[in-house]
Amino acid sequence: MNECYYDRRMDFFYNRTKTDTADEWTGPQLIGVLCFGTFFCLFIFISNSLVIAAVVKNKRFHFPFYYLLANLAAADFFAGIAYVFLMFNTGPVSKTLTVNRWFLRQGLLDTSLTASLVNLLVIAVERHMSIMRMKIHSNLTKKRVTFLIISIWAIAIFMGAVPTLGWNCLCDINVCSSLAPIYSRSYLVFWSVLNLVVFFIMVVVYIRIYMYVQRKTNVLSSHTSGSISRRRTPVKLMKTVMTVLGAFVVCWTPGLVVLLLDGLNCTDCGIQNVKRWFLLLALLNSVMNPIIYSYKDDEMWATMKRMICCSSEDKSQERRSSRIPSTVLCRSTDISGHYIEDGIIQGTICGKGDLGDKGNS
């Protein structure tokens, strides 16, 4: 019977698999890693929160496609949490981790990847349902969308927990991988091949849908009296999704190929030299998505800008009001009238977007 090593610290596995880890970080290295990681993680949190808030606030986004897009932003937000946890549990700290803490570190990353991947698959199904009927949005009810979102996270959590549930090498250290010292090589092959196959299928499906949309739009454009912008809306939505998918595939494929090579026990591939760069590339994917949403979707950008604008104006109004003593407000009707007038003007400015939305909805 094989001996199990659940009570060992990670230095035992790192030393046995000869995994390259930094024994110590000097002052400049530590400061650089923390500053770089903190900046990108804060951007991930703020930008993806704005995307989710924009979908909630703007009634024009209350459709299945945008609910799923908000869930994709939530997956990127979760990825930011995973990167923060990784940032404080990597480098020289890696060897001091317990087995369970290391499983948690990697499980968070695997969960975030799976959540984004499955979410893109569901968006592909939603787009297919709407495009085949030549509609901008599908007829999925809110209950079904909610069920899909819950299912996405259930699958993501399960896939992130698979190594913890038993598919690891703690009881058979001869099959341990190099990049993930307590993951079995067979699991890395399964994980990387599964994701790469799904990548390929999604790319093919999205290209076919996009070509169908282009062909149908060109045929119908000469026979319909609708506005040009309305006829182009399905194409614009597909371009947004395909850009997001393209960025996702570009950012994650190199890392998955490296994991596959490690699972195949390729000792001469130099995977230790590139692993940090490919992890950084995966981090950039969560940074890029909110930029793609706002750049490709004018309505999304306008909603996010209104939220930022009105928030800053509300704060400045509160600061100006707080500077006025109560005695001055009581004695000077002119000054109080001046501030009330400012508040009305600013409220009108901030409310323009909402009034516009109500008028257009």
Side-chain angles (χ1 to χ4, degrees), residues 258 261 266-275:
V258 166
L261 293 175
C266 182
T267 56
D268 300 326
C269 297
I271 55 179
Q272 293 289 346
N273 300 325
V274 296
K275 63 177 184 179

Side-chain angles (χ1 to χ4, degrees), residues 45-60:
F45 292 144
I46 295 172
S47 59
N48 285 288
S49 297
L50 281 173
V51 172
I52 297 171
V55 173
V56 174
K57 179 180 175 62
N58 194 334
K59 291 183 178 180
R60 295 181 184 179

Side-chain angles (χ1 to χ4, degrees), residues 12-20 173 176-178 181 272:
F12 170 79
F13 300 98
Y14 277 114
N15 293 334
R16 194 181 183 286
T17 57
K18 298 179 181 179
T19 303
D20 180 27
I173 58 176
C176 289
S177 64
S178 174
Q272 293 289 346

